[in-house]
Amino acid sequence: MPTHIQITLFCPGALAGPFDQAMSLLGPSERAWVSRLLKRSTPRVSSPPSISTGRRSEPAPIALESPDELWLRQAFGLAPEASVGAYEAFSGATGPERWIARLVNFHVGLDHLVLQPPEQLNLDPEDAATLLAASQHWLSSEPVRIDAIDPALWQLTELEPEKTRFTDMQGASSRRASGRNIDAWLPRGPASRGWRRLANELQMMWHSHPVNARRIERGLPAINGLWFEGRATPLHHRAFDTIVSNDPALKGLARACGATLIDERNPARIADSIRRAEEAASDPATWLIDPGFGRWTHDRDGQPVDSDWARHWADLTGWLIELDSHLRVGRGRALRWVLAGDHSALTLDIGARDLLRFWRNRTPGALFEHRANE
């Protein structure tokens, strides 16, 4: 029977630590189930990008995109100037001259600033609106206009692109830089100095603003930074027919490419949706499913939080086993499992024939350990 459903499971962060740590909270049967899946799959490793020096090619000292963002870039065919993180703001109206910036909190360390995960900001819409009005007034003489897309996301329009030159900048998304010293992740390029000047002016104005005084009194982090996410451009190729996720950036990518979006986490209901799609369609269909486990978890020094990471793996394993109980691989369905770490991504192809290859003697930990030590 030909394959009519190609299912891609997208698990960013799943390779961020060693195999034994990932399996530490699993029972014997669960660990055996994961090991069997890893042993009998066909792996393909995505290496870090290289940079050209004009004479030879060598690894980039630090990649501004995480391996899972790079995988999404390639899968969706993003333009070079587009940024995965900016697609959270995509509504179909984001034009080529508009850029996305996010309200954030920088934790002040002894000698550096650490970007706190944006979801921890607990942003009040009225506070955001007040800061927006103050920022618009403050930057009224600058060649840029600021508008709100939603409270946490602002849209930047270049009034004089020859002065701002945002298109010449390359930076990391807030999801990539969260929990880390921001110095290595700030926008790069000839226009970055101008952007930093604008961002620093807002930062100084916000420092003494009554909004932040009230937030600090309530025990909330100050809104003391504006993070440049980049651009979200329209997509002209539908990478997947259906995308199952509650991740804001993936939802934006679904809107941009015209995919059907399902905001669902329950594996039984996801399996039911896939079966209904199989019954209704005669042509092969592609699904991207994001279980929602294993997002980056770092402490203030930028190190992975092992206990949280192991818990994510336990949750993911339980989710996968339940999905498998409702929707067996094979019988016209092929599974592609995308796992990513901090340095590289791994794609595992798992079909009915792969699961029958019991003679494969690959050590599952080998897929993890060399990445954890990079």
Side-chain angles (χ1 to χ4, degrees):
M1 179 178 178
T3 297
H4 285 286
I5 294 288
Q6 170 70 59
I7 302 169
T8 299
L9 290 177
F10 179 63
C11 301
L15 296 182
F19 178 73
D20 286 345
Q21 181 72 36
M23 301 296 104
S24 62
L25 300 182
L26 301 184
S29 61
E30 296 166 324
R31 183 168 182 149
W33 188 92
V34 173
S35 296
R36 175 176 173 269
L37 202 63
L38 293 172
K39 282 181 179 180
R40 300 188 185 180
S41 61
T42 301
R44 296 180 311 182
V45 177
S46 299
S47 301
S50 298
I51 54 174
S52 175
T53 62
R55 291 174 297 178
R56 60 190 179 93
S57 187
E58 54 189 35
I62 185 168
L64 289 175
E65 288 186 311
S66 63
D68 53 280
E69 289 176 326
L70 181 60
W71 185 89
L72 288 173
R73 169 179 296 282
Q74 295 169 344
F76 282 87
L78 302 191
E81 66 272 17
S83 166
V84 170
Y87 278 89
E88 181 175 339
F90 189 90
S91 63
T94 304
E97 77 283 3
R98 296 179 175 91
W99 302 82
I100 306 302
R102 184 188 302 275
L103 297 175
V104 296
N105 168 258
F106 295 133
H107 171 74
V108 181
L110 292 177
D111 58 356
H112 62 274
L113 298 177
V114 175
L115 176 62
Q116 296 304 290
E119 62 270 17
Q120 297 179 4
L121 193 58
N122 295 317
L123 184 62
D124 184 285
E126 291 186 7
D127 288 347
T130 300
L131 288 181
L132 176 64
S135 302
Q136 288 171 330
H137 176 73
W138 189 266
L139 299 180
S140 58
S141 62
E142 297 288 347
V144 62
R145 188 179 74 244
I146 299 178
D147 302 289
I149 297 174
D150 70 24
L153 292 171
W154 290 1
Q155 179 176 274
L156 309 176
T157 303
E158 295 178 283
L159 303 178
E160 300 178 61
E162 69 279 2
K163 292 183 179 180
T164 46
R165 295 174 59 194
F166 289 161
T167 192
D168 293 337
M169 289 198 303
Q170 184 182 22
S173 67
S174 58
R175 63 172 56 201
R176 171 65 159 154
S178 287
R180 307 172 190 265
N181 181 341
I182 68 171
D183 289 348
W185 308 99
L186 293 171
R188 306 170 185 173
S192 60
R193 181 175 297 181
W195 162 253
R196 292 187 191 188
R197 179 185 64 80
L198 292 176
N200 287 340
E201 286 190 12
L202 291 179
Q203 191 173 352
M204 288 186 291
M205 188 264 288
W206 292 348
H207 177 73
S208 57
H209 198 280
V211 162
N212 275 324
R214 291 193 298 268
R215 287 179 60 86
I216 293 172
E217 286 178 1
R218 301 200 306 269
L220 296 173
I223 303 168
N224 60 5
L226 191 64
W227 192 264
F228 188 84
E229 293 281 6
R231 177 188 291 175
T233 60
L235 301 179
H236 305 290
H237 165 68
R238 182 181 297 172
F240 300 93
D241 297 305
T242 303
I243 296 175
V244 182
S245 178
N246 62 4
D247 179 74
L250 273 175
K251 286 183 174 182
L253 285 166
R255 291 190 294 269
C257 75
T260 298
L261 176 63
I262 300 176
D263 188 344
E264 180 59 73
R265 293 283 296 278
N266 185 286
R269 288 196 285 267
I270 292 173
D272 187 54
S273 296
I274 291 175
R275 284 193 295 268
R276 289 200 305 269
E278 288 176 322
E279 294 171 357
S282 57
D283 296 327
T286 54
W287 287 59
L288 177 66
I289 302 176
D290 167 29
F293 304 112
R295 296 295 177 200
W296 298 111
T297 306
H298 292 89
D299 60 23
R300 285 179 172 176
D301 294 320
Q303 299 301 313
V305 180
D306 288 344
S307 60
D308 287 351
W309 184 70
R311 178 176 51 79
H312 286 321
W313 253 103
D315 292 341
L316 174 61
T317 300
W319 188 95
L320 288 171
I321 291 174
E322 184 176 353
L323 180 70
D324 186 59
S325 70
H326 296 286
L327 192 74
R328 296 288 182 181
V329 173
R331 300 181 185 177
R333 306 182 188 105
L335 175 65
R336 177 165 291 168
W337 194 6
V338 178
L339 305 97
D342 206 12
H343 300 283
S344 58
L346 175 68
T347 299
L348 301 175
D349 286 328
I350 308 167
R353 291 184 179 179
D354 292 294
L355 293 178
L356 292 174
R357 290 169 180 166
F358 56 87
W359 59 85
R360 281 184 172 170
N361 197 30
R362 182 189 305 117
T363 302
L367 301 173
F368 290 68
E369 291 167 352
H370 69 283
R371 289 170 183 76
N373 294 327
E374 283 179 345

